[in-house]
Amino acid sequence: MEQTNPTTRVVILGSTGSIGQSALSVIEHDGGSRLRAWGLSGHTRWKDLAAQALAHRPRFVAVVERELVPLLTAELKGTGVEVLGGRDGLVRMVQHAETDRVLSAIVGAEGLNGTWAAVEAGKIVALANKETLVVAGPLVMELARARGATILPVDSEHSAIFQALKAGGRSEVRRVVLTSSGGPFRGRTARELARVTPEEALKHPTWQMGPKITIDSATLMNKALEVIEARWLFGLEPEQVEVVIHPESVVHSFVEFVDGSVLAQLSPPDMRLPIQYALTYPDRTDGPSRRVDWANPLALHFEPPDRETFPALDLGFEVMRRGGTAGAALNAANEAAVARFLRGEIGFLDIARACRAALDSHTYDPRPALETLWSVDATARREVERWRP
Ligand code: NAD
Ligand code: MG
């Protein structure tokens, strides 16, 4: 893949979120030399979206809620920024002929819609929305092959694996090992976890992220989703994916080759680096990300995960092996359970329990169509909404 355009026109789906804001800071640092914000999208925080549009002057902004269109239009009057509404507006922006890359950074299964539109149009997709591949990995990868779309990982672990994989041929890969910080509750017992509050779970030791993925990082469901993401993204066999706890979040993952050589990618925890790499790939450019400071002692630790205290992780391995509709069921159940935990309706340990229940009761289909996945998603959400501890 060659860098053909002098500037890459980037559409950011979810520009008001944590990944979206980091992406805009990468574009700002670039100063227009090779990256341009071409389209922005937000959801409820329309004033933030308007402020971003005033600062970056994209060609489009898009909001799914149509009632927000007149408000944004008034705010952006005279700027030449076109305001689009509804899911179809978002699709138009994504599939526009002049859109070069799409950063998919909406949270949750909702992000699948924009990713799908980008892949359908054969775009280069910088994929932060891991839920896309958890819900519909095989279908999305198949569509990408058929439409000539390229999917570049933004998730730091997958970006690391993507980079390390370049050291050898695919048949030479023995396995990939995803690192996990272990979250804020590493070392705690299940007894202690039963009582943790949303405030405690929202304090991540190494990463600043949106609330949903922060809770996922505390339950280790985030790593479960990443295991599934890795399988489909890199076309791995289930036994080729492993997880290791690494509290410093400096080594972002490993690739182990058949001869025993292990390659890693290292950098301080800062999402601007994997975002930038997916926006400038195959090139590497100067950027705003933090650097390893070799003048200070740096100790890195690795330990096996505590699978009993954090049962969400094994749900991920199980779903990765099963494929089919299992990913859609697990993902939707988790989104609903996290929302209920944040509302104070269920306890921290109930998140994995509710997911287990939704997985067990769902009607499994090994080769589902997209519509089937959406119906499994809706059923799992309803079930978790009704679930009682
Ligand atoms: P966030 O909550 O900070 O931002 C979410 C974005 O999605 C916002 O712009 C919001 O407006 C938009 N959004 C939410 N619901 C929407 C809907 N129904 N329709 C349209 N837009 C909607 O989340 P985040 O932390 O930036 O994470 C975004 C995605 O990136 C997630 O899939 C997450 O798993 C993934 N990711 C995040 C990080 C991180 O460091 N934050 C790292 C790796 C992967
Ligand atoms: Mg990650």
Side-chain angles (χ1 to χ4, degrees), residues 35-341:
L35 298 175
R36 173 165 175 213
W38 178 250
L40 304 176
S41 100
H43 193 40
T44 46
R45 298 207 301 269
W46 68 273
K47 284 204 168 151
D48 294 352
L49 182 61
Q52 289 181 339
L54 287 172
H56 288 270
R57 298 299 172 104
R59 169 80 170 75
F60 301 109
V61 299
V63 276
V64 173
E65 305 291 333
R66 291 184 197 277
E67 308 84 86
L68 296 176
V69 171
L71 298 170
L72 271 163
T73 306
E75 205 82 11
L76 298 175
K77 203 168 163 220
T79 60
V81 178
E82 189 175 343
V83 181
L84 304 169
R87 282 206 181 122
D88 50 317
L90 193 129
V91 169
R92 222 190 103 202
M93 169 170 96
V94 163
Q95 297 190 334
H96 191 272
E98 287 178 272
T99 297
D100 296 312
R101 291 196 193 199
V102 178
L103 172 61
S104 174
I106 285 170
V107 63
E110 178 63 35
L112 172 57
N113 292 310
T115 317
W116 189 272
V119 172
E120 207 171 29
K123 301 293 185 188
I124 300 172
V125 183
L127 186 66
N129 179 267
K130 66 193 79 187
E131 294 90 342
T132 287
L133 293 179
V134 173
V135 174
L139 290 182
V140 170
M141 297 310 290
E142 198 180 298
L143 185 69
R145 274 189 295 275
R147 301 298 170 100
T150 305
I151 300 181
L152 299 169
V154 168
D155 218 343
S156 54
E157 296 77 1
H158 304 72
S159 177
I161 293 166
F162 179 74
Q163 295 176 57
L165 279 175
K166 296 192 180 302
R170 293 313 293 266
S171 61
E172 295 165 352
V173 174
R174 175 146 180 262
R175 59 177 172 170
V176 304
V177 184
L178 283 87
T179 56
S180 159
S181 72
F185 305 137
R186 185 176 58 89
R188 302 259 191 118
T189 62
R191 244 180 111 90
E192 292 167 324
L193 290 186
R195 290 185 304 271
V196 299
T197 63
E199 293 71 48
E200 292 171 289
L202 283 168
K203 281 191 200 115
H204 196 275
T206 50
W207 295 102
Q208 297 285 323
M209 309 177 286
K212 189 255 177 187
I213 182 175
T214 304
I215 300 301
D216 289 350
S217 300
T219 55
L220 295 200
M221 185 64 83
N222 183 49
K223 213 49 54 182
L225 302 180
E226 291 183 354
V227 159
I228 304 164
E229 177 186 14
R231 176 173 186 197
W232 304 127
L233 184 63
F234 301 117
L236 298 164
E237 293 304 319
E239 52 285 355
Q240 287 183 294
V241 187
E242 261 312 322
V243 168
V244 69
I245 301 295
H246 165 49
E248 292 86 6
S249 303
V250 169
V251 176
H252 297 298
S253 280
F254 299 104
V255 174
E256 185 183 320
F257 289 91
V258 284
D259 59 357
S261 219
V262 179
L263 272 87
Q265 183 263 337
L266 285 74
S267 52
D270 184 338
M271 284 308 293
R272 289 174 300 184
L273 180 52
I275 292 169
Q276 176 180 309
Y277 189 57
L279 295 182
T280 62
Y281 181 82
D283 300 335
R284 290 184 186 273
T285 57
D286 177 40
S289 306
R290 294 163 55 209
R291 308 291 156 119
V292 175
D293 175 9
W294 299 107
N296 281 309
L298 175 65
L300 301 174
H301 299 85
F302 302 93
E303 66 193 36
D306 177 352
R307 292 168 180 266
E308 255 134 73
T309 311
F310 299 93
L313 188 56
D314 279 346
L315 292 179
F317 278 98
E318 176 187 323
V319 166
M320 166 182 67
R321 279 191 300 271
R322 291 181 77 193
T325 44
L330 175 65
N331 178 72
N334 178 57
E335 283 186 38
V338 168
R340 288 194 69 189
F341 170 69

